[in-house]
């Protein structure tokens, strides 16, 4: 399994590498937790995905975040457990099976409960592996030996225990209450199973006549059919228009029922007419108001969505048919005032895909206030649990304050059947609202209780309903660890350390876990709740099935690899709890951001190959830790420990995105672009042996440290490189996830040195950029001058001049005092006098030549020959050395090569740049075709000036400024400022060529 030769293939193949290590980790139970191990525990229980589900981007994001935390703390030496499992998803499974039966022309009642559940378990056995195998592809470091399922034997035992205890303590009761009812599935649904949809509807206005005949009140409603169940009309007691009517009655149209007018401050005087019809049996707010005013509750609805006998002549009609008929009747009777178009939100059943109906129903409820109040005590007195980001604490607290009793019964068959048995022998064999019952942990116990209460001939039927899925998942943090038994896992790993979850289920899951845990374990179930954001699509919109804008993570994994996707998702997090945006091209099924992470993986691979090829077959352990003497070695080691400190601090404070970005910048920028380039010459065979050895030690030391730092983020590629680098043997293989995370050595951190080296790097970068701007070929070395008034900066530049020459391809480098240069530059006009002097000297020499020629004038032919040569040489010398500034500079440097550079603050035919207070000059004469550079700059300047002219004209046009969108106008202003700046830079460049 392990690599014995320190050699990596030339190309990185993420697919074979990732599959290999996922199998290795699981086969060798690398992540199996041991409560006997000792050490500080770190435990996370997975937010259980639905057993019916498949991996979506939310799963991938959440799993990547959790796995990064778990791997980090495991490498920190903590006794780590990440416990996996799935939720039985009552509604989803039940709905899926009913659809299958419908296609077969059957229903669940024809099949029977026993056969239906057999079919459900069979389907679960065939399908549950889908989501878990997909999670395996993410490389999650869970303990698969502890995998749990909310319907397994242990968790079912915990559910029954919790239910019976709460019932015996008076915290669970059976009663009539208003619930969200789905007529399509004929079941109560929880708030989380309701999806609010905005629809274009109507607002109907009706007159209700006062019983005393003195007039009428006008009410408005979006559900006219519910007026058949009205038991009052309410107004705000402070509303001067209506407060004199409080205490009077109206006669309800159609049914002729006399109902009171009541005053309640809940009524919004600005909604509709300020008069509100009250239907306590069919509206949650009306239900609460009905309780406050002791109003009767009249249910007009059957469970299938048709109207019952209380609806009079509309009995048997579907609710939407009845709506039309009620409106027609009220219009015919003269009570309809008007109909308005009205856009409003309607709650839909996520399961049945129809509008839910608030319905009065006999159900099982948890008395929530005692549980919520105890949880509030933990929050207010102990700040437990702690939320990250902290702003979610208020949201969580407000929810606990407002909680109402929790309806926990569902009219389904797949789930935990309620452990209550009805003595149907007392109610003619039927379960009614008044049938007596016993609650017990088993059927045997139920018979014993029932016989003692109702005699030996009692007949029992278990409640056919099941418990809300959130009831069992509310026990998840401790039921998965063995509760109610006092197991070693429970003693070691509970309370868990961190819960990682989305903000959308703070109310439905987080609060229920804290309430259950506070009651049953007297502790909060986790120390910290890390709330993450959403993965948004390429347009910044929330992904949803309705919009069809989801992105399949498996598709991206198949294209780029798991590590690339994981790293992208984490790196995009800019602060804990923030949403992230994923770039995606739907036409090509490609993601530029994930591709960038794949390129980063390739960079890791190639850099590791280079390092290992230069270690002479030795491991970092064989080479030993470096004792750095050279500036670059000391710098990279200091930077490394600075990054260890930074990464540790970020992860400890849930700054995972910042940690990922910091590692990227260190590896690619400092290690690859700078240090590796700096030490290449020291790795040659003929290099100084001591220096070469230190360079090898440093490379091995830093590379191994980087693999450990990056492992929580990119586990597969780092394992492969680490195994090869350290040459793990097959006899005693070690694995990177179990290595100790890099520790900070403060003695090796030299902030001053890092600051100095940053100056060198910035200088090198500036010279490289100037070379690129001037189109200087990579192999051509240049002459450069660095000018600064700071003595300290000159010392730093002087100490690192070899690095500057090496990496920036500089042949002649001078480092001077900028102030002195400015003084000398002030004398620049003297150069004209020197030029004149040179011309005079040339003329004198020419005249001497002529004089010499005259002396031999008498010699035939020879005299004429020398005269011609003298004049010719003089003309050639002047044309080659004196006519142009470039030629004069070249001649001057032949006589005064160093002094010329020192005496010119910004010589002609040079390109200049600035880094901080340092001016960088590169001479272009003899290096590039100056006229070609000039032509290129002039062309770019013309383009920039044309852009300035175009944008200025546009912005000076009042029609554009006044009519265009504000962001468009601002964009034009920004573009103008950028074009003006670019033009200014180009003019400066041209000036340097004058």
């Amino acid at each position: 399994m392990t690599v014995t030769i320190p050699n990596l293939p030339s190309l990185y193949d993420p697919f074979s590498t990732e599959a290999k290590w996922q199998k290795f980790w699981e086969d060798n139970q690398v992540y199996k937790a041991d409560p006997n191990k000792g050490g500080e525990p770190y435990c996370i229980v997975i937010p259980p995905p639905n057993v019916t589900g498949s991996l979506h981007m939310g799963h991938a994001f959440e799993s990547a975040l959790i796995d990064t935390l778990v791997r980090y703390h495991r490498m920190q030496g903590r006794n780590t457990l990440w416990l996996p499992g799935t939720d039985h998803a009552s509604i989803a499974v039940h709905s899926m099976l009913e659809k299958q039966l419908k296609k077969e022309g059957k229903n669940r009642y024809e099949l029977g409960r026993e056969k239906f559940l057999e079919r459900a378990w069979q389907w679960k056995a065939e399908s549950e592996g889908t989501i878990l195998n997909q999670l395996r592809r993410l490389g999650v470091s869970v303990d698969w030996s502890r995998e749990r399922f909310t319907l397994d034997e242990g968790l079912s035992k915990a559910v029954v225990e919790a239910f019976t205890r709460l019932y015996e303590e008076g915290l669970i009761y059976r009663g009539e209450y208003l619930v969200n009812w789905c007529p399509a599935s004929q079941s109560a649904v929880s708030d989380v199973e309701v999806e609010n949809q905005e629809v274009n509807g109507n607002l109907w206005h009706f007159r209700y006549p006062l019983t005393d005949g003195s007039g009428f009140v006008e009410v408005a409603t979006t559900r006219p059919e519910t007026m058949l169940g009205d038991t009052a009309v309410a107004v705000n007691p402070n509303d001067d228009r209506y407060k004199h009517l409080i205490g009077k009655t109206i006669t309800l149209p159609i049914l002729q029922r006399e109902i009171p007018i009541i005053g309640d401050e809940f009524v919004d005087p600005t909604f509709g007419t300020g008069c509100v019809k009250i239907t306590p049996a069919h509206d949650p707010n009306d239900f609460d108001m009905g309780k406050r005013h002791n109003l009767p509750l009249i249910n007009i609805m059957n469970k299938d969505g048709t109207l019952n006998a209380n609806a009079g002549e509309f009995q048997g009609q579907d609710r939407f048919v009845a709506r039309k008929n009620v409106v027609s009747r009220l219009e015919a009777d003269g009570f309809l005032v008007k109909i308005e178009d009205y856009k409003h939100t309607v709650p839909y059943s996520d399961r049945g895909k129809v509008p839910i109906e608030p319905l009065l129903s006999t159900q099982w409820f948890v008395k929530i206030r005692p549980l919520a109040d105890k949880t509030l005590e933990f929050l207010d007195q102990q700040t437990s649990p702690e939320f990250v980001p902290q702003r979610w604490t208020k949201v969580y607290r407000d929810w606990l304050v407002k909680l109402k009793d929790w309806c926990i019964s569902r009219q389904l068959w797949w789930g935990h059947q309620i452990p209550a048995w009805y003595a149907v022998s007392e109610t003619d064999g039927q379960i009614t609202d008044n049938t007596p019952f016993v609650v017990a942990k088993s059927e045997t116990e139920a018979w014993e209780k029932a016989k003692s209460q109702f005699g030996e001939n009692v007949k029992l039927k278990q409640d056919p309903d099941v418990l809300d899925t959130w009831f069992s998942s509310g026990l998840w943090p401790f039921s998965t660890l063995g509760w109610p038994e006092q197991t070693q896992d429970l003693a070691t790993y509970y309370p868990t350390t961190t819960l990682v979850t989305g903000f959308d289920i703070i109310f439905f899951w987080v609060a229920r876990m804290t309430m259950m845990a506070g009651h049953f374990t007297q502790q909060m179930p986790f120390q910290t709740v890390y709330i993450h954001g959403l993965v948004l699509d390429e347009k910044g919109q929330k992904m949803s099935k309705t919009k069809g804008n989801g992105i399949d993570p498996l598709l991206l994994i198949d294209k780029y690899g798991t590590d690339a996707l994981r790293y992208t998702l984490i790196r995009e997090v800019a602060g804990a709890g923030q949403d992230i945006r994923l770039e995606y091209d739907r036409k090509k099924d490609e993601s530029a951001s994930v591709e960038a992470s794949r390129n980063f993986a390739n960079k890791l691979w190639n850099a590791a190959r280079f390092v290992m090829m230069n270690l002479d077959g030795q491991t970092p352990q064989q080479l030993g830790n470096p004792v750095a003497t050279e500036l670059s070695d000391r710098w990279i080691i200091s930077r490394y420990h600075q990054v260890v400190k930074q990464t540790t601090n970020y992860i400890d404070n849930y700054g995972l995105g910042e940690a990922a970005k910091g590692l990227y910048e260190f590896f690619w920028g400092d290690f690859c672009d700078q240090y590796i380039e700096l030490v290449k010459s020291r790795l040659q065979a003929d290099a100084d042996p001591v220096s070469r050895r230190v360079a090898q030690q440093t490379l091995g030391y830093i590379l191994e440290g980087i693999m450990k730092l990056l492992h929580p983020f990119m586990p597969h590629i780092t394992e492969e490189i680490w195994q090869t680098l350290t040459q793990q043997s097959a006899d005693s293989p070690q694995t990177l996830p179990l290595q100790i995370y890099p520790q900070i050595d403060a003695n090796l951190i030299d902030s001053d040195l890092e600051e100095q080296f940053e100056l060198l790097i910035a200088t090198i970068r500036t010279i490289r950029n100037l070379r690129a701007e001037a189109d200087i070929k990579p192999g051509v070395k240049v002459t450069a001058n660095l000018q600064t008034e700071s003595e300290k900066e000159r010392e730093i530049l002087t100490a690192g001049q070899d690095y500057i020459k090496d990496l920036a391809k500089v042949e002649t480098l001078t480092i001077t005092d900028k102030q002195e240069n400015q003084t000398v530059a002030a004398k620049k006009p003297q150069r004209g006098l020197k030029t004149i002097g040179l011309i005079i000297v040339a003329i004198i020499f020419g005249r001497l030549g002529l004089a010499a020629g005259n002396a031999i004038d008498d010699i035939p032919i020879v005299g004429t020959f020398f005269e011609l040569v003298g004049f010719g040489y003089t003309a050639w010398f002047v044309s080659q050395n004196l006519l142009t500034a470039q030629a004069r500079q070249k001649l001057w440097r032949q006589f005064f090569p160093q002094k010329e550079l020192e005496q010119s603050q910004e010589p002609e035919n040079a390109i200049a740049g600035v880094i901080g207070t340092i001016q960088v000059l590169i001479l272009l004469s003899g290096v590039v075709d100056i006229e070609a550079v000039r032509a290129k700059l002039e062309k770019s300047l013309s383009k920039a000036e044309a852009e300035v002219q175009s944008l200025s004209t546009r912005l000076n046009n009042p029609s554009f400024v006044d009519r265009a969108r504000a962001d468009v106008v601002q964009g034009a202003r920004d573009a103008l400022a950028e074009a003006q700046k670019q033009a200014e830079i180009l003019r400066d460049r041209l000036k340097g060529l004058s």
Side-chain angles (χ1 to χ4, degrees), residues 158-455:
V159 167
V160 171
E161 179 72 22
F163 185 96
T164 54
R165 281 199 201 178
L166 289 171
Y167 177 77
E168 290 166 357
E169 294 166 1
L171 295 175
I172 281 183
Y173 64 93
R174 185 171 182 255
E176 194 176 47
Y177 207 81
L178 206 64
V179 298
N180 296 318
W181 186 263
C182 172
S185 59
Q186 296 192 36
S187 173
V189 295
S190 69
D191 292 338
V192 78
E193 297 151 14
V194 173
E195 181 182 1
N196 289 315
Q197 298 181 19
E198 192 172 61
V199 300
N200 292 315
N202 297 107
L203 189 64
W204 285 270
H205 290 250
F206 303 124
R207 290 191 182 99
Y208 283 3
L210 292 166
T211 306
D212 61 10
S214 60
F216 59 85
V217 294
E218 184 179 322
V219 299
T221 180
T222 59
R223 298 159 66 211
E225 71 281 5
T226 61
M227 60 85 60
L228 301 170
D230 285 358
T231 59
V233 168
V235 298
N236 192 298
N238 300 313
D239 191 335
D240 292 335
R241 295 173 297 171
Y242 304 117
K243 60 184 180 182
H244 67 283
L245 297 177
I246 296 173
K248 291 190 175 185
T249 63
I250 62 102
T251 301
L252 188 67
I254 302 177
L255 296 179
Q256 299 300 303
R257 187 167 60 242
E258 188 174 348
I259 59 177
I261 298 176
I262 61 174
D264 195 295
E265 291 188 352
F266 180 80
V267 176
D268 180 2
T270 64
F271 174 77
T273 65
C275 292
V276 182
K277 58 186 287 299
I278 305 301
T279 319
H282 293 281
D283 183 274
N285 294 323
D286 292 2
F287 180 81
D288 291 339
M289 201 179 298
K291 287 197 298 182
R292 287 197 293 272
H293 296 273
N294 297 314
L295 298 176
L297 286 72
I298 300 176
N299 176 27
I300 63 166
M301 197 79 64
N302 294 315
K303 292 184 176 180
D304 62 357
T306 61
L307 272 59
N308 61 25
N310 290 329
E313 65 188 78
F314 305 100
Q315 181 179 359
Q317 296 181 9
D318 177 80
R319 54 181 171 157
F320 298 115
V321 173
R323 176 174 298 177
K324 295 178 181 178
N325 292 335
V326 166
V327 171
S328 296
R329 171 67 186 276
L330 289 169
E331 183 177 21
D333 291 348
F335 296 113
L336 176 64
V337 178
K338 62 180 177 179
I339 303 174
E340 295 179 322
D341 291 334
Y342 187 64
K343 181 176 286 189
H344 62 121
T345 299
V346 174
Y348 275 71
S349 167
D350 186 55
R351 180 176 173 222
K353 309 302 180 187
V354 299
I356 65 106
E357 189 67 39
L359 189 69
L360 201 60
S361 177
T362 299
Q363 302 284 345
W364 290 91
F365 294 89
V366 172
K367 192 178 293 183
I368 215 69
R369 277 275 44 96
L371 303 181
D373 289 343
K374 187 169 186 176
T375 307
L376 282 168
E377 288 181 13
F378 279 102
L379 182 66
D380 295 339
Q381 297 177 14
Q382 302 177 30
T383 317
S384 179
E386 181 179 356
F387 278 79
V388 178
Q390 191 176 9
R391 66 178 182 272
W392 289 108
T393 305
K394 183 178 185 305
V395 176
Y396 166 73
R397 191 184 191 286
D398 289 347
W399 180 257
L400 288 172
V401 169
K402 297 174 184 176
L403 276 177
K404 299 176 182 178
D405 287 358
W406 170 20
C407 175
I408 57 172
S409 48
R410 298 289 178 268
Q411 287 65 54
L412 307 171
W413 286 352
W414 173 248
H416 295 100
Q417 192 169 356
I418 292 175
W421 283 260
Y422 295 89
V424 294
S425 52
E426 305 299 307
T427 51
D428 297 327
Q430 301 296 318
I431 298 177
T432 70
D433 291 350
N434 300 315
T435 304
F437 59 87
V438 295
V439 170
K441 295 179 182 178
S442 67
E443 187 174 5
T444 301
E445 183 182 328
W447 277 108
E448 292 174 358
K449 287 185 175 182
K451 287 178 181 178
S452 66
Q453 292 183 44
F454 307 106

Side-chain angles (χ1 to χ4, degrees), residues 696-767:
Q696 288 176 322
Q697 290 173 331
T698 306
L699 285 170
Y701 174 76
I702 300 295
L703 180 62
E704 183 177 12
I706 290 171
M707 292 307 104
K708 292 177 179 179
L709 289 170
L710 272 171
H711 179 73
F713 303 90
M714 307 177 79
H716 306 90
I717 188 172
T718 52
E719 176 78 283
E720 180 75 15
I721 292 173
W722 183 83
Q723 290 279 339
T724 310
L725 176 67
T726 58
Q727 301 178 48
Q728 293 301 310
S729 67
D731 298 332
S732 57
Q734 296 188 48
T735 183
L736 182 54
L738 301 182
Q739 301 306 301
I740 296 299
Y741 203 71
Q743 302 298 303
I744 306 162
D745 188 340
N747 295 323
L748 296 177
I749 295 177
D750 188 335
S751 298
D752 289 339
L753 173 63
E754 290 183 39
E755 184 179 346
Q756 294 168 17
F757 216 87
E758 283 300 315
L759 181 65
L760 293 177
I761 292 172
T763 303
I764 292 168
R765 188 181 301 116
T766 301
I767 295 175

Side-chain angles (χ1 to χ4, degrees), residues 494-513:
Y494 186 82
T496 65
T497 314
T498 307
L499 174 72
V500 180
T501 190
F503 63 83
D504 50 340
I505 56 174
I506 290 177
F507 323 122
F508 309 114
W509 188 41
V510 178
R512 284 168 181 167
M513 285 190 287

